[in-house]
Amino acid sequence: MVNGRLGKVFKNPQQTLRRNKMETGSHVCVTVLEQEETLPATAIVVHIQARTPGRRSYGPAAEVIYDCNRSTKPAELVKLVSRLVQIDVSHLRVAKHKLESFEWIVLQENYNKESRKKKKSKSTAANIKNSPICLRDGDTLGLKNLQYDPEDADDFSTESDDRGKEILTAVQEEKRRKRKLKSTDLLDERGGANQRPRRTEVGIKIFVPDYKRSS
């Protein structure tokens, strides 16, 4: 388990627990398989969920194993999912759920637009293991049938995502408020240190001799 959710799957039995980032206090989820299975190190275990038409919710999750050794292109993963759910690729949208930001990133989009500033002559091919997709074990893929959403207006989000974004916004606002308050206090301290303390005002007495008497 990683951050309270399904994460890295133990594949290669030769790998050490340290290599699998097992530490004291770690939680492990165990699934009993119907038959023996040996996953290659290049395999990724994800969960797919079909979008409920007309609602901001999903159906039950199903486990899918995709071997990146065959291809790391998003299109190949979409083709595999298309065969599994028996929906034509032209009618299918697949998006990965980014739990940390409560957003969804569509796999069919073009992520490798050439940068005008850098003026690259060639752009590298999209890779599901690299940014911005970064597909890992335990990730969730949402599926949408465009036959129920011909204008592709549904953004894959749920009410849970809305609440999560509100919490993130509140946390960020609180951090900004604390940074601003700390910065103000620091300026006050520095300003006070640079200012010299004022001396108590004391009346000055000047003795002036009487020159008339002395003459």
Side-chain angles (χ1 to χ4, degrees), residues 10-23:
F10 297 166
K11 305 180 183 76
N12 186 352
Q14 304 300 324
Q15 285 186 347
T16 62
L17 294 178
R18 179 175 296 182
R19 182 68 179 274
N20 286 290
K21 299 182 180 180
M22 280 287 295
E23 300 175 351

Side-chain angles (χ1 to χ4, degrees), residues 7 48 67 78 84 124 131 140-141 144 159 162 171 179 199:
I48 60 174
D67 191 353
V78 173
L84 293 175
T124 56
S131 179
T140 297
L141 299 178
K144 182 176 62 172
E159 294 180 358
D162 294 342
V171 171
R179 284 197 299 266
R199 296 180 179 179

